Structure formats: structure tokens, C-alpha cells
Amino acid sequence: MISVYVIYDAYSRSLEHGSNIGFVVVSLLMVFINLIIFDVYERMISHTLAEKKNLIYEQEIEMCNRQAKDREAAYQQTRMLRHDLNDRLIGIGALLESGHSDEAAGEISRMLAENRLYRDNVSHCGNLSLDALINYKHSLASGMGIRLECRAEVPTELFVDGTDLCIILGNLLDNALEAVENLPLSQRLVKLVVRLEKGALYIMVENPYAGEIVEHGDGTIRSSKGPGELHGYGLVSVRKTVGKYNGDLVIRHGGGVFRASAILYPK
């Protein structure tokens, strides 16, 4: 509004003096200033969105680290139970031989209760960061009525840093869950494959989607279906992180199916 007022004032003065030079100069200057202001605001918005996403993934990484510690504690407990298993079975056998079946049943129930940790998890590959993140996302998907089919075939130790793994998988799975959240229940399916092939780490996330997908030059991908973005700025973070391992992110979509495949190589 200020720009319009200034341009109008310059136009009125140009009519009074019979010269349009001042009007043209002022008009161009105000247009240039507005373009700069719009660019600054757009950059501020993008920066704010990036900060929010980084905060979310920092919280998820902290969650993964916490779950990793809990899982390590569970493994330690399981090893202790296995170590004491022979002695406890001897005690249960003695109770059964002496006719104290109720006490034997109670001891068996206590043993089962002590080893119930993580029994309902879907990922058991042994890599703490990967298991923690997949199991966490699986619980979120279940709450949204989404089936998450997972196949993780990797060793316990990987050449990929746990934080980078959380960024890649976290973004890809979040995008997939967002894409299928509003689909009919029968179509809410996300497939995840993580495996080691000839020394390289292969990650694939596949999901159905509705609407048309539009790709932008900045690496973001949006859907014309619904108000939100389908696969947006998170892919930029994924590409950047994958690039640290001389890898690549390949996007394929068509026929209502979206697939993101990342390949990472040892540094």
C-alpha cells in the first residue's frame, strides 16, 4: 500500500511538472524494493520450516537413542535370563516332581513376564538405531490405521551413522505415512526394504498416493490432492544426507504408486 501511494504521488507530481522521468524512476525503484522484500520473506519462511523439521528430527533422533539404550538393556536382561535358565529349569523340575504344579506354573509365568520386552516389535535386525526407528514408526502407523510392511536385512554394525540413518528413514517414512493417511483403509499400505547389497546400503520406501504429483526444480515434490504436500522439503534433507555417502536418491511415481530408493556407499 505504501508503494502504491508513493507511485501515485510520483505520478501526480510528474503531471504537474510535465516530466515522466521521476515517475518512471520511482516506480522502478519501488518495484525493485518490493521484490527484495518478497524474496526476504520467502527465505525467512523456508528457513522457519527447515528449523521446525530439524527440531522434529532432533527429537526423533533423541527418541531413537533412548530406545536404543532401552533395547541394549533388554538384550542384557535376556542374556542374564539365558545364563540363569538352566538353574531355574532345574528348580521348576523339582517343583513338578514334588507335586507343586501351581508353584511351578507361577515360576514359568514370572520367567515369561521378565522377557516380554519388545516382543511385539516388527524389526529385529540387531542394528539399534534402525530397529528403534522402524518400530517407532510402526507404532505410529498402527495408530493411523496404516499397515507398515518391513523387511530389514542388515548386520548389527553399519557404515552409516545412526543420526544420518534416522534422517533418511524418518523423512521417507513420514512422507509415505502422510501420503496414505487419507486414503481408504484398504489402500493404507507402506512397504519398507532395508538391505545390504555388495557392500552398499539399499533403502526403499513404497506407498500408494492420490492425485497428481508435481516435481519442482528445488527437489521438492508435491501432490495436487489435498492441501498439504505429499513428498516435500524432506526429500532435500534426504538427498543431502545420502550425498554424504556418495549415494543417490531415485524417485519413481506413476500408476498411483510412489517409490523412493536410496543407495549409500561406504565413505
Side-chain angles (χ1 to χ4, degrees):
M1 293 179 65
I2 293 175
S3 299
V4 172
Y5 175 79
V6 172
I7 293 174
Y8 176 76
D9 183 68
Y11 177 72
S12 300
R13 293 178 182 273
S14 67
L15 292 178
E16 294 177 359
H17 295 86
S19 174
N20 292 329
I21 297 178
F23 166 69
V24 173
V25 172
V26 171
S27 299
L28 292 176
L29 181 62
M30 295 307 299
V31 170
F32 180 71
I33 291 175
N34 277 278
L35 289 175
I36 293 177
I37 292 174
F38 290 149
D39 182 67
V40 169
Y41 272 104
E42 186 176 356
R43 291 177 183 272
M44 289 174 60
I45 292 172
S46 299
H47 181 69
T48 302
L49 291 175
E51 284 187 340
K52 288 182 178 180
K53 281 187 171 291
N54 288 336
L55 178 60
I56 292 173
Y57 285 108
E58 284 178 3
Q59 293 173 348
E60 289 196 354
I61 289 170
E62 181 181 354
M63 174 276 306
C64 287
N65 291 332
R66 185 170 61 252
Q67 287 197 8
K69 292 180 180 179
D70 293 341
R71 180 174 290 275
E72 181 63 24
Y75 287 156
Q76 294 288 349
Q77 182 183 12
T78 301
R79 284 194 288 267
M80 292 177 62
L81 288 174
R82 289 177 178 175
H83 181 267
D84 299 336
L85 182 61
N86 187 57
D87 293 338
R88 299 181 73 170
L89 287 177
I90 292 175
I92 292 173
L95 290 173
L96 291 174
E97 289 179 359
S98 60
H100 297 82
S101 58
D102 292 339
E103 295 183 20
E107 180 63 21
I108 294 174
S109 298
R110 283 192 293 272
M111 291 174 63
L112 292 175
E114 290 175 359
N115 199 26
R116 291 178 63 88
L117 293 175
Y118 305 107
R119 186 171 296 178
D120 57 344
N121 288 344
V122 297
S123 180
H124 305 278
C125 67
N127 183 278
L128 299 181
S129 298
L130 188 61
D131 284 343
L133 182 62
I134 292 177
N135 291 324
Y136 172 67
K137 294 297 184 182
H138 180 266
S139 63
L140 289 180
S142 299
M144 300 163 65
I146 300 172
R147 290 175 295 149
L148 176 58
E149 294 183 356
C150 167
R151 184 158 62 94
E153 301 172 353
V154 297
T156 303
E157 299 294 333
L158 286 172
F159 60 86
V160 181
D161 184 74
T163 301
D164 293 334
L165 200 57
C166 287
I167 291 175
I168 296 171
L169 268 178
N171 273 293
L172 294 181
L173 287 175
D174 282 349
N175 289 338
L177 295 178
E178 182 183 350
V180 303
E181 182 179 6
N182 296 320
L183 294 179
L185 283 174
S186 59
Q187 300 180 22
R188 297 183 188 178
L189 171 64
V190 175
K191 296 182 180 180
L192 169 65
V193 175
V194 184
R195 63 174 180 262
L196 207 61
E197 292 185 352
K198 298 180 180 179
L201 182 64
Y202 173 76
I203 300 173
M204 188 279 293
V205 177
E206 181 181 287
N207 62 271
Y209 68 91
E212 297 294 329
I213 290 181
V214 180
E215 299 189 35
H216 298 278
D218 59 356
T220 60
I221 298 178
R222 298 172 184 268
S223 171
S224 61
K225 183 75 171 182
E229 61 184 47
L230 175 63
H231 297 277
Y233 292 101
L235 290 181
V236 178
S237 297
V238 173
R239 291 186 188 277
K240 181 178 179 181
T241 307
V242 170
K244 293 171 57 177
Y245 298 88
N246 302 314
D248 191 19
L249 176 67
V250 180
I251 303 297
R252 295 285 185 271
H253 56 84
V257 177
F258 186 98
R259 176 182 293 177
S261 303
I263 302 178
L264 294 80
Y265 302 95
K267 294 183 179 179

